[in-house]
Amino acid sequence: MWEFLQHLSYWDWLALGTVLLILEVFGAGGYLLWLGVAAAAVGVLTLLFPALPWTWQLPLFGVLSILSAVLWWQRQRHARAPSAQPGLNRRGQELLGRQFVLHEAISGGRGKIKAGDTLWLVTGPDLPVGSAVRVIDQDGVLLKIEPA
């Protein structure tokens, strides 16, 4: 082991970086990406400075790993701007507060309304077909309604 550490070359670092990036492809969730990039960077530095001792290479790898991960985390944290369309991909949220006519009577607490070209399951008090109702909440695919 001691012999291996004393003769670390750029190929060793590039191989480690490649292995880490390949493992990242299999679903590490971004954890190995920055380690792989840091290993590749140490490999390039070792190629440029072949006399760089292993006692500098290992701490450099650690510092570059932490630095790249922290910088990416900071960038991601600041990149999360509020959306111009907060209800996007949350079907049913745009229906809250709107009034509709019952398409199927509510009996036993369940019925249907028609919103646009879609039938929605609703829960609420028993009401006949044609009653005006207001959507007050959403629970998954069920809309909670009250008489309008």
Side-chain angles (χ1 to χ4, degrees), residues 20-38:
L20 289 169
L21 292 174
I22 288 171
L23 290 173
E24 174 62 36
V25 169
F26 290 113
Y31 298 112
L32 297 178
L33 175 66
W34 301 111
L35 295 175
V37 168

Side-chain angles (χ1 to χ4, degrees), residues 26-75:
F26 290 113
Y31 298 112
L32 297 178
L33 175 66
W34 301 111
L35 295 175
V37 168
V42 172
V44 169
L45 288 174
T46 306
L47 176 64
L48 296 175
F49 305 105
L52 190 65
W54 71 272
T55 55
W56 281 87
Q57 292 176 23
L58 291 177
L60 186 62
F61 171 66
V63 167
L64 287 176
S65 296
I66 292 170
L67 184 65
S68 62
V70 167
L71 288 175
W72 179 254
W73 179 75
Q74 287 286 337
R75 183 184 180 284

Side-chain angles (χ1 to χ4, degrees), residues 2 16 34 43 45 49 52 54 118 124 130-131 133 135 139 141 144:
W2 186 257
L16 176 63
W34 301 111
L45 288 174
F49 305 105
L52 190 65
W54 71 272
T118 306
S131 299
V133 294
V135 179
D139 182 21
V141 296
K144 295 181 181 177

